[in-house]
Amino acid sequence: MIRPSVDLDKTTAPQPEPAEGNVAEQASSDIDDFIYLISHDVRASVRALLELPQWIAEDLEVAGIKVDGTLATSIELMNRHTGRLDRMLVDLLAFSRVGRLQATQELDLRAAVEEVLEEMRIPAGFHVRHDLAGLTVMIGNRDLPTLLSALISNGIKHHHADTGNITVSAQAKGDQVVIRVCDDGPGVEERFNKRIFAPMTTLRPRDEVEGSGMGLATVRKIATHYGGSARLLAAPHGKGTCVEVRLPAARQY
């Protein structure tokens, strides 16, 4: 069977930007450039690997070989692990792109949350409520959806039940807007409060909860890039997780 040629993604990766600022800033920029280039190039091969198990299964079926038992298990494992690697590369790309290739502008929080919720697949048992009317922030037009999506999906992904509630709220405080995303899940032990913002960090095995461990690391990087912050708060009512993010305010109505 003739296979279509694998898409090797002909998009040209951007060249490293000219040196700016102090040595620490340039070193950070160089690391982001390196992450971008590696993730971009490696993902082309990973996308090919994602197709191979399906091709193998199709060829076996055409040859009259039933795909079951240990063979089916092996193909499923290939799918799972290559899918996991692809998600990790996507999240690394998002991490490296913070603040880049986008316009910093005044964005409405409520509109941004509603757009994110339309694009996300919220499980049937979960409800996301938000109270953000009239608040705007100055941030990159791609970074805000990335931040909000990571916070909401984190509350769903790490929930201990098939049903749950996520609350997104915000209020103006001086020249900042304070966003809080809280859930009613199992919460995080206090000793892990700082660790959860580290890149490639998960508190549960990936066989239990799929994820790259980059979500909250990207949230903190976005917040600090725009002069804000991200931290874990004590959950209301003594249960669940509550993440607070501070971003520069634009204007209030």
Side-chain angles (χ1 to χ4, degrees):
M1 181 182 296
I2 298 175
R3 302 294 185 193
S5 58
V6 176
D7 177 14
L8 295 181
D9 193 345
K10 297 180 180 179
T11 303
T12 302
Q15 296 300 311
E17 299 173 355
E20 294 181 2
N22 58 36
V23 175
E25 290 174 341
Q26 181 58 34
S28 177
S29 178
D30 289 344
I31 292 172
D32 284 343
D33 288 334
F34 179 74
I35 292 173
Y36 180 93
L37 292 169
I38 291 295
S39 300
H40 182 275
D41 292 344
V42 171
R43 194 175 178 226
S45 296
V46 171
R47 284 201 299 273
L49 292 175
L50 283 168
E51 300 290 336
L52 287 174
Q54 283 75 30
W55 293 353
I56 292 171
E58 289 172 7
D59 287 342
L60 290 173
E61 289 178 1
V62 169
I65 301 173
K66 189 175 182 180
V67 180
D68 59 7
T70 57
L71 178 59
T73 300
S74 296
I75 291 177
E76 192 277 329
L77 282 173
M78 291 173 66
N79 285 326
R80 184 193 307 170
H81 286 281
T82 51
R84 182 179 297 169
L85 179 57
D86 188 57
R87 284 190 295 273
M88 184 175 294
L89 291 172
V90 169
D91 290 344
L92 282 170
L93 281 169
F95 185 82
S96 70
R97 287 172 174 165
V98 170
R100 298 185 176 201
L101 306 175
Q102 59 190 300
T104 298
Q105 56 191 273
E106 180 180 324
L107 295 177
D108 181 85
L109 271 178
R110 181 171 63 181
V113 168
E114 290 175 349
E115 183 178 345
V116 165
L117 292 177
E118 285 180 4
E119 295 180 358
M120 290 180 67
R121 294 181 179 178
I122 305 296
F126 282 83
H127 301 280
V128 181
R129 298 177 177 84
H130 58 84
D131 180 14
L132 306 163
L135 291 173
T136 56
V137 292
M138 290 300 297
I139 191 172
N141 60 340
R142 292 195 319 188
D143 283 339
L144 182 57
T146 298
L147 180 145
L148 293 171
S149 178
L151 289 172
I152 294 170
S153 62
N154 185 73
I156 296 172
K157 183 189 307 179
H158 297 285
H159 206 285
H160 63 295
D162 295 329
T163 60
N165 297 286
I166 312 293
T167 301
V168 185
S169 61
Q171 60 180 321
K173 284 194 174 182
D175 60 353
Q176 291 186 321
V177 170
V178 181
I179 304 168
R180 292 192 177 100
V181 179
C182 303
D183 62 62
D184 56 358
V188 177
E189 293 182 39
E190 186 176 353
R191 60 194 176 104
F192 295 130
N193 281 10
K194 293 182 179 179
R195 180 182 167 189
I196 63 170
F197 289 99
M200 311 289 286
T201 298
T202 59
L203 301 183
R204 294 169 61 188
R206 286 187 171 87
D207 287 335
E208 293 181 11
V209 177
E210 287 290 350
S212 64
M214 292 298 298
L216 290 182
T218 301
V219 165
R220 172 167 281 182
K221 185 178 180 183
I222 291 172
T224 56
H225 177 81
Y226 294 98
S229 62
R231 62 172 179 158
L232 196 67
L233 298 179
H237 312 301
K239 58 180 290 188
T241 301
C242 193
V243 180
E244 178 189 273
V245 175
R246 292 174 178 259
L247 294 172
R251 70 169 181 262
Q252 303 171 36
Y253 299 96

